[in-house]
Amino acid sequence: MTQYIGILTAGGDSPGLNAAIRGVGKAGMNAYGMHVIGFRDGFRGLMENRIVRLDSKELSGILTVGGTILGTSRDKPHKMPVGDKNLDMTSVIIDTYEKHHLDALVCLGGGGTQKNAYRLAQHGLNIVTLPKTIDNDVAMTDITFGFDTALTIATEAIDRLHSTAHSHHRIIVVEIMGHNAGWLALGAGIAGGADVILIPEIPYDVEKVAEAITQRSRSGKHFSIVAVSEGAMSQELAKRLNAAEENIAKAKDKAEKKKYKAELAEIEQERMQSTPVLTTQLEALTGLESRVTILGHVQRGGIPSAADRLLATRLGTACTHYIHENIFGVMVAVRGDDTEPVPLEQVVGKRKTVPPDHPWLDSTRNLGVSLGD
Ligand code: F6P
């Protein structure tokens, strides 16, 4: 029986998306005789029925291409901006699914996409997801594709910053992506030999960071590289953030909740501007000239690494096997050299952050690298 498969990419783009689309499409066609169509721009294209036929011509030459040939968006099925409103467009999405007689819909994305896909599965759609994000923070999988490429880019950036920091006897604070999880900053910090690594999971004390840098200076090393996650925050800010979150949970009525949510949004705003503030504070505390480099979206662009192409291809091809076996409502997770279908309810609402006893943290501390705590 021929199966008809839809595929979309949602959330922030990530190197390896095209390799995964190609994996699903080619394995689907060659191994199982499936017909595959893509939806443009994530759940929005699914709602607007904007499709692209993924035949062998479309799937050729995309393995090494960055971004996603399908386009992406952060739009959610149940809160879709339409005109000046956010509307629940789930029923329209179900219509599109039925119009194309789909047997399965493959959603490639990070934590948010897993949640949105799960909602569609609860409405009866046959969903299979793949875990992608440069942040590596999707629960229940060993790793996500996109992470390795971003890690390589961030590490190379630290390598390059080293020589200029050394020449000018400066502190260079380099901001690496990762709002809630520090995998990228920690991994690139270790691989690039950063002197201080600050991640969201370990709120920092700026005095301790300055102390570590001053000690390096006293021992004759007059430059320092500080690798910092975009979501890293001071201990003081972390306290305020936790208090605001607790207040939201305890709020007695809607008005109180609204007030604390506004407070939380302000704190989040402050958090996202922490890196330049930290840089200025370090200059004042150490007396060393300091500069900030924000790597930003350069970490998500360009060709995927060999490891990400391999991983995305493995996940894409495995996905068609699970569809063929009628295994739905799952994320195709990485387990060592193999894959495993994990029920979506075990994935959603969780985030894989760096645990306090993770071996990468042990290595960091044993190297004498400051984590700011
Ligand atoms: O989730 C991936 C990610 O790159 C995060 O590291 C970052 O916080 C966010 O996306 C940036 O999102 P946007 O592309 O919408 O600016």
Side-chain angles (χ1 to χ4, degrees):
M1 188 196 75
T2 309
Q3 285 180 303
Y4 293 86
I5 312 301
I7 182 166
L8 60 81
T9 53
D13 70 346
S14 188
L17 278 168
N18 290 326
I21 294 169
R22 174 179 173 271
V24 173
K26 287 205 168 192
M29 284 189 293
N30 295 327
Y32 304 109
M34 294 169 177
H35 288 282
V36 187
I37 58 170
F39 292 97
R40 296 195 187 275
D41 303 333
F43 295 104
R44 174 162 290 276
L46 181 60
M47 189 264 285
E48 293 171 351
N49 190 24
R50 286 189 284 122
I51 67 160
V52 46
R53 297 222 170 268
L54 294 176
D55 50 22
S56 68
K57 194 165 156 264
E58 277 301 324
L59 294 169
S60 261
I62 64 169
L63 175 64
T64 60
V65 178
T68 159
I69 57 161
L70 294 176
T72 186
S73 74
R74 292 197 185 273
D75 290 326
K76 304 177 175 96
H78 65 294
K79 256 191 208 167
M80 187 81 65
V82 182
D84 56 358
K85 292 202 177 89
N86 281 332
L87 301 178
D88 185 349
M89 302 304 278
T90 308
S91 60
V92 181
I93 281 176
I94 295 173
D95 284 350
T96 311
Y97 180 93
E98 283 169 356
K99 188 181 292 172
H100 293 286
H101 306 288
L102 294 182
D103 295 297
L105 177 70
V106 182
C107 304
L108 279 55
T113 303
Q114 306 297 328
K115 226 187 255 176
N116 292 323
Y118 178 54
R119 283 200 188 95
L120 295 181
Q122 287 176 310
H123 281 86
L125 271 52
N126 290 336
I127 301 285
V128 180
T129 67
L130 302 189
K132 72 91 225 214
T133 162
I134 65 161
D135 294 353
N136 194 31
D137 61 351
V138 176
M140 305 300 289
T141 181
D142 289 358
I143 193 165
T144 58
F145 63 85
F147 176 64
D148 182 74
T149 308
L151 182 65
T152 308
I153 297 169
T155 303
E156 190 189 329
I158 296 179
D159 292 346
R160 289 177 187 276
L161 292 169
H162 249 114
S163 59
T164 174
H166 181 264
S167 307
H168 285 268
H169 320 294
R170 280 174 174 159
I171 298 173
I172 293 195
V173 180
V174 50
E175 185 184 283
I176 295 167
M177 272 189 171
H179 189 147
N180 292 298
W183 295 108
L184 210 45
L186 181 59
I190 296 171
D195 308 296
V196 177
I197 302 175
L198 306 176
I199 60 174
E201 293 86 343
I202 306 178
Y204 60 82
D205 175 346
V206 68
E207 305 269 346
K208 294 256 170 67
V209 177
E211 212 175 282
I213 292 172
T214 305
Q215 253 180 32
R216 268 177 61 79
S217 212
R218 275 199 212 106
S219 69
K221 294 170 188 163
H222 302 297
F223 75 96
S224 283
I225 299 285
V226 180
V228 53
S229 294
E230 64 175 330
M233 59 196 142
S234 67
Q235 293 174 353
E236 184 265 326
L237 199 65
K239 253 187 224 153
R240 283 168 50 207
L241 191 109
N242 288 341
E245 279 172 348
E246 274 171 27
N247 284 337
I248 293 171
K250 283 191 296 197
K252 284 187 224 83
D253 50 40
K254 264 192 178 170
E256 212 176 72
K257 199 170 223 162
K258 200 171 162 199
K259 183 183 113 193
Y260 290 129
K261 274 195 173 169
E263 200 178 290
L264 183 66
E266 262 175 43
I267 298 170
E268 277 295 349
Q269 191 67 23
E270 215 178 298
R271 180 181 179 189
M272 295 320 281
Q273 284 154 8
S274 291
T275 309
V277 175
L278 170 70
T279 310
T280 311
Q281 286 173 325
L282 289 179
E283 180 162 296
L285 288 166
T286 61
L288 289 169
E289 203 176 21
S290 304
R291 293 286 188 272
V292 61
T293 298
I294 296 182
L295 297 184
H297 294 80
V298 77
Q299 295 159 102
R300 292 214 313 240
I303 60 167
S305 66
D308 273 335
R309 291 180 212 175
L310 180 59
L311 179 62
T313 303
R314 279 174 53 209
L315 288 169
T317 52
C319 166
T320 57
H321 164 74
Y322 297 123
I323 294 172
H324 182 69
E325 297 287 312
N326 289 321
I327 299 173
F328 300 119
V330 295
M331 175 183 81
V332 184
V334 184
R335 287 282 168 274
D337 282 341
D338 214 341
T339 62
E340 185 184 283
V342 178
L344 282 170
E345 59 264 34
Q346 291 178 27
V347 178
V348 301
K350 294 180 193 151
R351 181 178 287 121
K352 190 181 78 178
T353 52
V354 180
D357 59 349
H358 195 274
W360 289 7
L361 289 175
D362 291 343
S363 295
T364 307
R365 291 191 199 277
N366 290 341
L367 283 171
V369 172
S370 169
L371 288 160
D373 58 346

